[in-house]
Amino acid sequence: MKNILISLSAILLLLSCSQSQEKKDVALVGDFYEHVLGNKPMTDKYLQKTLSEDVLKSIWETEYEDTYSFWVFRTGLQDGPSSESSVESIEPMGDGWYRVTYSDLGNPGVTEVQVANGRIVAYKTQKKEDDAMAAIGRYMTEIGAGYTPGEYCIPYCLIAGTEEENPEDIRVWGDFHVENYNHAGDTLKSVSGGSHPGCMHVKKADDGFEVFQFDAVGDGSDFIPTAKAIFGDRFDAFMALYSNDDAKKAARAKSILDYAKAHGLAISCYQDFGWPAVSIK
């Protein structure tokens, strides 16, 4: 019995030490990401104290300038729907590995880092696969910056047709919307936004996809003739979407729901000024 008690005490002591080390590692990783995401100033001294020599060598950048490319721990995207970045969670995975989930300028990011002897010794960044629609979303976010700003910019679109045969000119025809919102309780309240029907021209770039041209439908008396010229034999499909309020509500609700899930927002509805709130469920 005495030996059993001694063994149990040893196991409990090991568990306690393991949990204590985990807490230290999580604190180290959390503080590192506060620096990585720009919420704290990054210095060479801090990097050398926090990263192993092997990691430091792997992120040394000489192609453009002699510096540490600590941005490899982020999504790699240069802009996003928000001006803020933050850590959302740090989960222990075993063997010193931790999964860091974060918001990088509003873009969801996940990186796994390994800690040993008080330093980060390895990393694996899971970059979301880029595509033409993601590029269109970024382009619409740029358009949204021209409207009255809100806390969040969330685009959505109704697609009338696509042509993807030419990677140098992927064409997407549709009714492209952008909405800026402020957060109030469980509701996103619309601040500004608008509809931009037309054809997006997207091409494959070195680091993903980008919109290089947008053929926009005109306003007023120019609407119908320019829409016919841009949409061609897709004009009827476009007009059916353009006049379908239910389809617009469904696409808008889905875009908000996806955004809320990706960014950990407790949102259940959106609301336009002067109108009742609309559920996104």
Side-chain angles (χ1 to χ4, degrees):
M1 178 63 73
K2 183 177 180 182
N3 289 337
I4 293 174
L5 290 174
I6 292 173
S7 297
L8 285 173
S9 297
I11 291 171
L12 290 173
L13 181 61
L14 286 172
L15 286 173
S16 176
C17 291
S18 176
Q19 291 172 349
S20 175
Q21 186 59 51
E22 240 178 39
K23 287 182 179 179
K24 291 179 180 178
D25 291 348
V26 167
L28 170 72
V29 173
D31 184 62
F32 176 63
Y33 261 83
E34 286 297 306
H35 287 77
V36 165
L37 296 174
N39 299 325
K40 291 183 178 180
M42 184 71 80
T43 64
D44 286 351
K45 183 178 180 181
Y46 177 81
L47 283 170
Q48 291 165 5
K49 180 183 74 172
T50 308
L51 305 180
S52 69
E53 289 187 13
D54 287 342
V55 172
L56 285 170
K57 288 178 182 177
S58 73
I59 66 171
W60 181 249
E61 175 64 63
T62 58
E63 184 176 355
Y64 300 107
E65 55 181 327
D66 292 340
T67 185
Y68 289 114
S69 55
F70 53 83
W71 48 85
V72 299
F73 296 96
R74 300 176 64 161
T75 62
L77 300 175
Q78 295 183 355
D79 54 26
S82 174
S83 60
E84 298 181 357
S85 301
S86 61
V87 174
E88 295 175 355
S89 66
I90 301 173
E91 305 170 49
M93 301 170 61
D95 197 27
W97 282 94
Y98 298 85
R99 178 180 289 114
V100 188
T101 303
Y102 52 93
S103 172
D104 184 1
L105 299 175
N107 300 301
V110 177
T111 301
E112 295 173 1
V113 299
Q114 187 180 36
V115 180
N117 301 319
R119 289 188 175 186
I120 293 172
V121 297
Y123 63 94
K124 294 182 288 186
T125 299
Q126 303 173 7
K127 293 185 178 179
K128 185 178 179 181
E129 193 69 27
D130 200 21
D131 57 22
M133 292 308 300
I136 289 172
R138 293 192 292 272
Y139 185 82
M140 293 307 298
T141 298
E142 292 176 9
I143 291 178
Y147 287 96
T148 302
E151 293 178 79
Y152 305 103
C153 180
I154 307 177
Y156 70 96
C157 54
L158 292 91
I159 304 303
T162 61
E163 283 188 6
E164 304 179 65
E165 290 78 10
N166 181 3
E168 297 302 315
D169 188 7
I170 299 168
R171 289 181 284 178
V172 182
W173 290 266
D175 185 16
F176 305 98
H177 292 253
V178 62
E179 297 287 341
N180 290 325
Y181 300 94
N182 283 335
H183 192 180
D186 66 345
T187 303
L188 287 183
K189 295 197 172 186
S190 180
V191 175
S192 62
S195 167
H196 298 265
C199 179
M200 295 278 184
H201 296 259
V202 186
K203 66 179 179 180
K204 184 75 170 66
D206 292 338
D207 57 350
F209 290 78
E210 63 180 25
V211 174
F212 68 91
Q213 180 179 321
F214 177 44
D215 302 330
V217 171
D219 296 327
S221 61
D222 290 333
F223 181 87
I224 294 297
T226 55
K228 286 183 176 180
I230 291 170
F231 283 89
D233 57 6
R234 298 175 176 83
F235 175 74
D236 290 341
F238 159 67
M239 289 303 295
L241 287 173
Y242 188 77
S243 59
N244 191 332
D245 289 339
D246 289 338
K248 290 179 184 178
K249 287 179 182 178
R252 185 178 180 184
K254 184 179 186 305
S255 70
I256 295 172
L257 185 60
D258 290 345
Y259 187 93
K261 286 181 178 179
H263 296 83
L265 299 177
I267 301 298
S268 62
C269 50
Y270 69 86
Q271 185 175 20
D272 291 329
F273 182 76
W275 292 85
V278 177
S279 173
I280 64 171
K281 299 300 183 182

